[in-house]
Amino acid sequence: MRRIVEPEQLDTLPSCDARAVHARADLRRINGVMGHARILTNAFYQHLDFDTARRRSLRICELGAGDGTLLLKMARDWSALDVTAEAQIIDRHYLVEEETRHAFIALNWSLTPLAMEVQTWLRQPGKRVDVMFANLFLHHFPDVQLRELLSLAAGRTDLFIACEPRRSAFALASSHLLGLIGCNAVTRHDAVASVRAGFAGHELSALWPAAGAWQLSEDPAGLFSHCFIANRYAR
């Protein structure tokens, strides 16, 4: 299928709209069904030096992070390995609830939610991070904008991980069935749009900047997902 990027309804709704609140709850369920916390955690385990991480807090940034609950689920696994982190989560809306903030504090993690456009944050001068990741976020952008975003990200980290929708006939057919698990009309529309805007083959690798010594990997993950990893050789 040719990649088609079209507006998603959740992006146009006020964050307090009841349909948006329901759709964000749907997304938490969909992340669970797709196993994205597991996929991302496995990618971290394979590409991050956790022995080094135990000696100091990691600097982590999630792009398009939503309410932060996906990172919290991963943080609970890492805390069992005595890993702590200084985490920044970037989203155009401030969606982090106090319960989530307290849960990070209980893990001895610091959390800084920033309500701003991801591209604006990436263009600002700031500290590099040990790892930057995105979950169900990159597919919102057409190739021209995505190439620029990935170039900016490459300048701020040595390890970038993304878990996105896989663009396939099976994933598209499955996206039409989300009403069966109680997803609302917003989610049902956006799920189909997400698959059409998703990735296959090595499309993200082709958009990653060529300059620099990077090791790129890009593969299907689980039943419905597509995982991309850019790891600077110097690591």
Side-chain angles (χ1 to χ4, degrees), residues 24-46:
R24 289 196 297 272
D26 290 342
L27 281 175
R28 289 192 290 272
R29 250 183 310 164
I30 290 169
N31 270 312
V33 170
M34 297 176 79
H36 278 198
R38 174 184 51 80
I39 292 169
L40 288 164
T41 297
N42 287 342
F44 274 85
Y45 286 162
Q46 293 170 22

Side-chain angles (χ1 to χ4, degrees), residues 150-171:
L150 294 177
S151 179
L152 292 169
R156 296 287 295 272
T157 189
D158 291 330
L159 178 59
F160 182 89
I161 301 172
C163 199
E164 295 293 322
R166 186 191 311 166
R167 197 174 72 254
S168 69
F170 177 72

Side-chain angles (χ1 to χ4, degrees), residues 26-70:
D26 290 342
L27 281 175
R28 289 192 290 272
R29 250 183 310 164
I30 290 169
N31 270 312
V33 170
M34 297 176 79
H36 278 198
R38 174 184 51 80
I39 292 169
L40 288 164
T41 297
N42 287 342
F44 274 85
Y45 286 162
Q46 293 170 22
H47 295 275
L48 196 61
D49 182 352
F50 275 83
D51 289 332
T52 300
R54 291 188 187 96
R55 294 195 289 270
R56 63 168 176 82
S57 290
L58 289 173
R59 293 185 298 273
I60 294 176
C61 177
E62 183 182 359
L63 307 180
D67 59 12
T69 54
L70 177 71

Side-chain angles (χ1 to χ4, degrees), residues 45-182:
Y45 286 162
Q46 293 170 22
H47 295 275
L48 196 61
D49 182 352
F50 275 83
D51 289 332
T52 300
R54 291 188 187 96
R55 294 195 289 270
R56 63 168 176 82
S57 290
L58 289 173
R59 293 185 298 273
I60 294 176
C61 177
E62 183 182 359
L63 307 180
D67 59 12
T69 54
L70 177 71
L71 179 57
L72 176 59
K73 187 173 183 178
M74 297 161 64
R76 285 175 170 145
D77 289 336
W78 298 339
S79 66
L81 301 175
D82 297 323
V83 174
T84 61
E86 302 168 11
Q88 290 181 302
I89 61 174
I90 321 298
D91 197 277
R92 62 170 51 169
H93 301 295
Y94 187 98
L95 301 171
V96 179
E97 298 181 356
E98 281 302 306
E99 181 182 355
T100 303
R101 291 180 64 93
H102 290 311
F104 275 102
I105 293 170
L107 298 173
N108 201 26
W109 281 46
S110 69
L111 179 70
T112 304
L114 298 173
M116 61 194 308
E117 295 291 343
V118 164
Q119 296 93 324
T120 302
W121 181 82
L122 287 170
R123 291 189 187 101
Q124 292 179 345
K127 292 181 179 179
R128 294 173 61 79
V129 297
D130 297 302
V131 60
M132 184 181 295
F133 76 99
N135 177 66
L136 300 180
F137 176 67
L138 300 184
H139 70 276
H140 289 91
F141 300 93
D143 287 358
V144 172
Q145 293 180 28
L146 189 51
R147 186 185 297 275
E148 180 190 16
L149 189 154
L150 294 177
S151 179
L152 292 169
R156 296 287 295 272
T157 189
D158 291 330
L159 178 59
F160 182 89
I161 301 172
C163 199
E164 295 293 322
R166 186 191 311 166
R167 197 174 72 254
S168 69
F170 177 72
L172 183 62
S174 300
S175 70
H176 286 281
L177 303 176
L178 288 178
L180 298 177
I181 62 171

